Amino acid sequence: LARLAGTGLAILFISHKLDEVMRLCDRAAVLRAGRKVAEFSVRDSSPGAMAEAMVGKAVQLPRRDVQRIGRPVLELAGVEVKGASGRNMAGVDLVVHAHEIVGIAGVSGNGQRALAGLLAGTAVSARGTVQLDGAAWPTGGPRTATAAGVGRIPEDRHADGVVGDMSIAENLTLETYRGRAFQRLGLLRRQTRLAHARALIAAYDVRCEGPEQRIGLLSGGNMQKLLLGRVLELGPCLLLADQPTRGLDVGAVAFVHGRLLDARRRGAAVVLVSEDLEELLRLSDRVAVMHRGRLSATLPTTGVTVRELGLLMTGQARHAA
């Protein structure tokens, strides 16, 4: 892009990634709620000023505090998952404790989908043992996993997280509508479901027209907030967060990060799968790298660098850094 601009081409670059804007652009305009609210000379501005204009207030990304880890919640030993290309996982060992976030890094297609599918209940292990809170992993798919205390934030919120043509209220009870709170004698309790949706909309600061709006009409950030609300309000003991901030603006990223850290503080064991290495180092207590279906040993994030993770992601030994 820089070379093209140097030839005299005018480029309109649209992005919410402020590091890209600072590196590539000469000027930057900020849109919020359909209006241009600010314009900057990039050379004379800062990412913080642009972020504040984007969300209408100062933005500070939260950082994890010190927590004493608790009991082992998730235990994988020699686990193998077979599937289509990019979904294989072999010989994986992993333990995640209460009050802990373990980050999973890796170039896309190296087995992260297999791990996420296993924890979401959409894939099964062909070999090895999987335990949840000291007991055998629940079989029977996502429904039994949810009932056992597993919360799932999927990689693709449009394909796997919501039903776009259904309302916000309907989507917020997709995993719980069979419970007594939302049905009686086989009939759905509409007013209870609407009241539940209104409470989550307020608690998670979702910008929408109301609980009966189609969820597919929402922005990515507001849709992700609703997914967080649906999952976290159940108080899961294990939380899978798969690419939880992909495509979100800086304000929504800060919100999601804060909620993940709150879940850790309350005692959840969190598996954070992300291709954003800065995000992994900011949120995770330990981090491991998936490469060709195998998982490296976990490393404390206080002693690892982005460069070191990058080398592991390409299959190079840790000492190569």
Side-chain angles (χ1 to χ4, degrees):
L1 289 175
R3 286 197 298 270
L4 287 171
T7 67
L9 187 68
I11 297 176
L12 179 64
F13 181 72
I14 301 174
S15 178
H16 62 269
K17 296 183 177 180
L18 296 181
D19 59 335
E20 292 182 339
V21 173
M22 296 298 294
R23 186 166 63 250
L24 291 172
C25 300
D26 301 294
R27 293 183 295 122
V30 176
L31 299 181
R32 189 174 74 242
R35 297 180 181 275
K36 188 176 85 169
V37 296
E39 187 168 340
F40 299 92
S41 166
V42 171
R43 179 180 298 176
D44 300 325
S45 186
S46 68
M50 291 185 196
E52 186 171 344
M54 288 168 66
V55 300
K57 58 184 179 181
V59 177
Q60 183 67 44
L61 288 176
R63 290 186 177 273
R64 69 184 185 280
D65 54 5
V66 176
Q67 292 281 316
R68 179 177 295 178
I69 64 170
R71 70 195 186 283
V73 174
L74 174 68
E75 298 176 82
L76 307 182
V79 173
E80 178 181 328
V81 175
K82 294 182 178 180
S85 177
R87 292 186 57 88
N88 294 328
M89 187 176 77
V92 167
D93 300 321
L94 179 66
V95 178
V96 187
H97 302 81
H99 296 289
E100 182 181 42
I101 297 178
V102 172
I104 306 296
V107 177
S108 180
N110 274 269
Q112 300 95 314
R113 287 186 180 179
L115 175 61
L118 176 69
L119 300 185
T122 58
V124 296
S125 60
R127 185 176 300 171
T129 60
V130 186
Q131 289 192 313
L132 177 67
D133 240 351
W137 183 262
T139 59
R143 187 189 305 178
T144 55
T146 300
V150 179
R152 303 164 297 125
I153 301 171
E155 176 184 10
D156 188 336
R157 52 184 168 267
H158 294 278
D160 302 318
V162 304
V163 181
D165 288 335
M166 292 174 67
S167 71
I168 291 171
E170 289 169 327
N171 274 276
L172 287 176
T173 54
L174 282 178
E175 296 180 334
T176 53
Y177 70 88
R178 293 180 178 85
R180 292 183 179 180
F182 299 110
Q183 63 88 20
R184 184 172 181 268
L185 301 177
L187 300 176
L188 293 173
R189 303 175 67 179
R190 181 173 177 274
Q191 292 305 317
T192 302
R193 186 168 58 184
L194 290 174
H196 173 72
R198 292 189 189 98
L200 289 184
I201 288 169
Y204 286 79
D205 190 28
V206 178
R207 309 300 168 86
C208 63
E209 295 176 1
E212 297 188 273
Q213 181 181 358
R214 279 176 50 203
I215 200 168
L217 299 177
L218 298 183
S219 69
N222 285 306
M223 191 181 295
Q224 196 74 335
K225 288 179 180 181
L226 288 170
L227 283 175
L228 278 169
R230 185 176 74 193
V231 170
L232 296 181
E233 291 303 302
L234 296 177
C237 65
L238 173 66
L239 175 62
L240 166 68
D242 192 358
Q243 313 294 347
T245 60
R246 178 181 286 169
L248 304 188
D249 66 47
V250 65
V253 168
F255 185 92
V256 171
H257 284 185
R259 293 294 176 154
L260 293 179
L261 290 171
D262 286 344
R264 167 183 176 264
R265 199 171 292 116
R266 289 197 301 267
V270 182
V271 177
L272 171 62
V273 181
S274 178
E275 294 170 15
D276 184 336
L277 299 186
E278 295 288 354
E279 176 175 68
L280 288 172
L281 293 178
R282 182 181 300 113
L283 296 180
S284 304
D285 299 283
R286 294 182 291 133
V287 63
V289 173
M290 291 211 76
H291 179 68
R292 296 184 177 179
R294 297 191 176 275
L295 191 67
S296 73
T298 58
L299 304 169
T301 50
T302 53
V304 69
T305 66
V306 169
R307 172 178 167 78
E308 202 168 13
L309 287 178
L311 289 170
L312 283 168
M313 287 165 64
T314 58
Q316 299 183 55
R318 184 171 189 253
H319 61 75

